[in-house]
Amino acid sequence: GENVEQHPSTLSVQEGDSAVIKCTYSDSASNYFPWYKQELGKGPQLIIDIRSNVGEKKDQRIAVTLNKTAKHFSLHITETQPEDSAVYFCAANRRFGAGTRLTVKP
Amino acid sequence: ETGVTQSPTHLIKTRGQQVTLRCSSQSGHNTVSWYQQALGQGPQFIFQYYREEENGRGNFPPRFSGLQFPNYSSELNVNALELDDSALYLCASSIPGAGASGGAGSPDTQYFGPGTRLTVL
């Protein structure tokens, strides 16, 4: 079955810096790659997604890139703010990574 | 905030008991998926319901079962509770075909509810 690995498990950056989270997947049939932000006590919130017919997608400070050949995809957050602090999850179709706890220091 | 609601917010059960969790999907969404999220881990797919029928299942035993009603709301039932069933149970709703731009079989964009925290003692 599908296996999704996510790195790093924790990430601490200074406000204004960029943050990058990377995921790899094993099933070449995977064709949908969403990213979720989960704050304490809440359900995952979709922040951006990309499908297999697109290599890159951007929405304001957030961008996602997909390399189908290498089976990896990444989340890029620029100009980070303290309110970006949360746990971020990648997914390949319905299989989720283990999450990255992002802390943005003021 | 999505329009997906779940009840109850949290509950406590003892081993061997049965539990029913409920989910109301976002307006216009006719597909509901359930996930289990253990502490410190990512959500794990349990199953999906579309038009009142199970439409995909993850690696969970038969004691995890579900229903979807004509108004697209859904229930997750867990029988013979075990300690390891303690987790946050998440419901997500979607519209089939919303993923059509990604090609045949492309999964739909899902919107999660706040979850139900289940503790099994």
Side-chain angles (χ1 to χ4, degrees):
Chain A
E2 174 69 276
N3 186 42
V4 178
E5 295 192 1
Q6 182 172 346
H7 300 280
S9 57
T10 60
L11 179 59
S12 182
V13 300
Q14 207 65 38
E15 182 178 1
D17 288 350
S18 294
V20 179
I21 303 171
K22 298 181 179 181
C23 289
T24 60
Y25 62 98
S26 59
D27 187 352
S28 57
S30 294
N31 55 7
Y32 176 57
F33 307 92
W35 286 88
Y36 295 90
K37 175 184 181 182
Q38 188 173 28
E39 297 175 309
L40 194 62
K42 296 184 178 181
Q45 175 193 0
L46 179 71
I47 56 172
I48 195 168
D49 58 6
I50 191 168
R51 299 185 187 271
S52 57
N53 57 351
V54 176
E56 185 174 355
K57 184 176 178 180
K58 188 174 182 180
D59 183 4
Q60 299 182 356
R61 297 186 296 111
I62 296 174
V64 58
T65 59
L66 170 64
N67 183 326
K68 288 171 53 182
T69 303
K71 296 182 191 172
H72 65 72
F73 54 115
S74 301
L75 176 72
H76 304 252
I77 306 174
T78 58
E79 301 172 22
T80 54
Q81 302 166 3
E83 50 265 39
D84 292 332
S85 297
V87 179
Y88 290 80
F89 292 98
C90 65
N93 288 17
R94 295 171 179 149
R95 179 77 70 168
F96 281 70
T100 296
R101 181 172 296 280
L102 173 64
T103 302
V104 181
K105 300 177 182 178
Chain B
E1 295 289 334
T2 68
V4 181
T5 60
Q6 293 186 242
S7 62
T9 304
H10 53 268
L11 74 167
I12 300 173
K13 292 285 187 178
T14 56
R15 193 170 46 183
Q17 286 188 311
Q18 178 266 343
V19 68
T20 297
L21 310 181
R22 295 178 175 82
C23 171
S24 291
S25 60
Q26 186 167 313
S27 177
H29 289 191
N30 57 12
T31 301
V32 173
S33 300
W34 286 92
Y35 291 80
Q36 179 194 68
Q37 186 178 22
L39 199 61
Q41 298 182 21
Q44 282 193 289
F45 174 68
I46 302 175
F47 45 55
Q48 181 181 75
Y49 276 82
Y50 170 63
R51 291 185 175 177
E52 304 178 52
E53 293 193 2
E54 190 177 290
N55 179 34
R57 189 178 184 94
N59 189 27
F60 280 80
R63 59 189 185 84
F64 286 79
S65 63
L67 285 173
Q68 186 179 32
F69 301 99
N71 66 355
Y72 307 135
S73 66
S74 177
E75 287 183 353
L76 165 65
N77 299 288
V78 187
N79 294 321
L81 285 167
E82 301 176 359
L83 298 179
D84 285 349
D85 295 335
S86 295
L88 180 69
Y89 287 85
L90 296 161
C91 164
S93 73
S94 57
I95 307 173
S101 62
S106 183
D108 312 313
T109 299
Q110 298 188 341
Y111 298 90
F112 283 85
T116 293
R117 172 73 61 188
L118 171 65
T119 301
V120 182
L121 302 177

